[in-house]
DNA sequence: GAATTTATGTGATATATATCACACTTTTTT
DNA sequence: AAAAAAGTGTGATATATATCACATAAATTC
């Protein structure tokens, strides 16, 4: 177990500011847990007791909206999960669910607090991460409410391709009903519009496998032509 | 000017953790500026150079969405403005505009960075503020996209009454077109639905003056009956 | 205080998308 | 391999709300 964290290949930016001694403590103050597809990592409404760090895999952040479950975003390792909850509120305000097989490090809050307290560089990196998230959330929210469904679906495809899978070819990480929750539409609209994109030669689709053939068009649709 | 900040009656929670010496430095590292109604405090697209702290008054945070201007939220002193931008991105991702006469303290970024670096309690309070904002943004966003217009208008009225003016009687701080931007509707829908609320005896209205007469109904509408 | 601009009220119409209903397909379970 | 469950495709219909088009009212400007 010695040097477990020091030698970890998937560190957060904040963790990279730490020294060998911190890593030593970190190793003894965390537990790594595997979750398989569909398992709840953080559950809305329960008490938040640890800091969760997504070490590998994909997860979705989602919350119960007034009428249905809304997926806020899809995140990819390495990233902290549920930081805002741990500090802003003791009760989780949203859920985090594994999209594929994931590894999560649960870090003792007291120890994490100690790092924040004693390591200003660490603390500053956490601030940066929170700031970036907030900005992203603002524009994501403005887009979702203002664009119509076609544009939002285009956005999701581009996000998956550019940021999550980093390839023009990928497999949709969820079913159409969930995609609806991510884009704020009905399952049926997702089906229709994906079919439309395929018919128009913008994507190629077989089952959940998608290849973006005409990224330009997709971007145009995203910008709402 | 001595003790200007120490004796300031409107401190941020973070500032309350500081000692006399910090306050001394703060006094010499900031400038207080007055803005009148409608003036831009922070402008989207420009470089962010200072930390802005809203010392008194109301402001709206808004950004250019794909099709129209969206008001993210209305904030009230005391609060930092545009923190996420200063750290997350050098270019302002949103605008902040004075709703009434406001006072803003611009604090030197380098000095603010120094505080974050040397005063862990200060830094922790900033983290808390960022966390709370993020949680709030998530649920606000889920609500706005899922509820229909009636529910969102009810929410805005409740927010104004409960959090901003802390009275059941207040004057709408903006015109109906802007309210549309806050709720994601057209100006006309705002007009129609406010008239409807008045007709149903839920509010009393004369010009922009509003009194919430039946808060219970409003809450019911907010929860989407 | 007359003229101009800005804000608001209200009907008629258009439209994007939800919803319902059901066929078909794929995956999972037994 | 059969049976059950979960996921998807697609038409018909309903509906909330945008949009357009004006009328009226209030606030600014000259």
């Amino acid at each position: 177990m010695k040097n477990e964290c020091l030698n970890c290949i998937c560190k957060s930016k904040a963790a990279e500011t730490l020294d060998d001694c911190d890593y030593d403590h970190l190793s003894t103050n965390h537990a790594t847990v595997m979750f398989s597809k569909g398992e709840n990592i953080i559950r809305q409404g329960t008490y938040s007791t640890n800091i969760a760090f997504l070490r590998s895999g994909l997860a979705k952040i989602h919350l119960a909206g007034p009428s249905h479950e809304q997926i806020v975003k899809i995140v990819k390792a390495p990233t902290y999960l549920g930081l805002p909850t741990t500090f802003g509120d003791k009760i989780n305000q949203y859920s985090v669910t594994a999209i594929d097989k994931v590894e999560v490090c649960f870090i003792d809050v007291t120890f994490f607090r100690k790092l924040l307290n004693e390591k200003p560089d660490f603390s500053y990196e956490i601030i940066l991460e929170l700031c970036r998230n907030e900005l992203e959330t603002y524009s994501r929210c403005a887009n979702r409410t203002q664009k119509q469904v076609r544009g939002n679906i285009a956005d999701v495809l581009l996000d998956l391709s550019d940021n999550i899978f980093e390839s023009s070819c990928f497999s949709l990480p969820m079913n159409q009903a969930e995609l609806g929750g991510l884009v704020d539409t009905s399952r049926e609209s997702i089906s229709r519009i994906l079919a439309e994109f395929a018919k128009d030669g913008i994507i190629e689709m077989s089952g959940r496998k998608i290849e973006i053939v005409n990224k330009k068009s997709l971007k145009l649709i995203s910008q709402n032509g």
Side-chain angles (χ1 to χ4, degrees), chain A:
Chain A
M1 279 299 152
K2 194 109 202 323
N3 294 334
E4 187 189 354
C5 292
L6 176 64
N7 298 325
C8 175
I9 40 135
C10 191
K11 292 176 190 142
S12 70
K13 271 202 154 191
E16 276 169 10
T17 69
L18 300 177
D19 60 31
D20 291 14
C21 177
D22 298 325
Y23 278 120
D24 240 32
H25 291 139
L26 188 53
S27 299
T28 60
N29 278 290
H30 92 279
T32 307
V33 181
M34 305 280 277
F35 289 90
S36 44
K37 190 184 162 178
E39 281 186 316
N40 245 259
I41 302 165
I42 292 175
R43 173 174 273 124
Q44 184 173 11
T46 62
Y47 276 93
S48 141
T49 47
N50 288 290
I51 305 286
F53 174 72
L54 185 65
R55 188 168 179 264
S56 70
L58 297 182
K60 60 177 180 181
I61 294 176
H62 52 113
L63 47 83
S67 75
H68 46 89
E69 195 75 10
Q70 169 146 7
I71 300 179
V72 177
K73 60 179 166 182
I74 295 171
V75 295
K76 170 171 112 161
T79 183
Y80 287 100
L81 299 172
L83 273 193
T85 308
T86 328
F87 298 116
D89 194 327
K90 275 176 211 140
I91 292 176
N92 290 304
Q93 300 298 303
Y94 51 81
S95 301
V96 182
T97 301
I99 283 183
D100 44 24
K101 190 165 243 185
V102 305
E103 275 176 298
V104 177
C105 299
F106 288 101
I107 304 160
D108 182 66
V109 196
T110 319
F111 174 69
F112 197 85
R113 275 285 273 128
K114 195 160 164 267
L115 283 182
L116 287 179
N117 206 46
E118 292 171 3
K119 304 287 171 173
D121 291 346
F122 181 83
S123 176
Y124 188 64
E125 284 297 333
I126 297 293
I127 289 182
L128 287 187
E129 174 150 350
L130 291 170
C131 287
R132 273 187 233 105
N133 283 345
E134 181 149 357
L135 289 181
E136 204 196 301
T137 309
Y138 280 178
S139 66
R140 188 192 300 275
C141 180
N143 280 326
R144 250 201 273 193
T145 48
Q146 286 184 28
K147 283 187 193 175
Q148 39 196 83
V149 181
R150 228 166 298 268
N152 284 324
I153 295 182
D155 275 345
V156 168
L157 293 179
L158 289 169
D159 180 46
L160 289 173
S161 161
D162 293 344
N163 306 320
I164 304 292
F165 297 108
E166 298 174 38
S167 157
S168 63
C169 216
F170 56 88
S171 182
L172 287 173
M174 50 181 113
N175 67 31
Q176 298 185 348
E178 290 176 294
L179 277 175
L182 182 57
V183 165
D184 262 293
T185 346
S186 64
R187 193 214 96 218
E188 293 92 329
S189 294
I190 298 279
S191 170
R192 280 188 250 263
I193 288 167
L194 283 180
E196 189 188 306
F197 285 175
K199 204 197 75 206
D200 295 349
I202 296 168
I203 60 174
E204 256 165 38
M205 194 169 49
S206 107
R208 287 194 190 166
K209 286 240 175 302
I210 288 214
E211 178 172 3
I212 296 181
V213 184
N214 191 340
K215 196 164 175 174
K216 245 185 198 160
S217 295
L218 212 52
K219 279 194 175 156
L220 272 169
I221 293 170
S222 152
Q223 284 157 39
N224 221 349

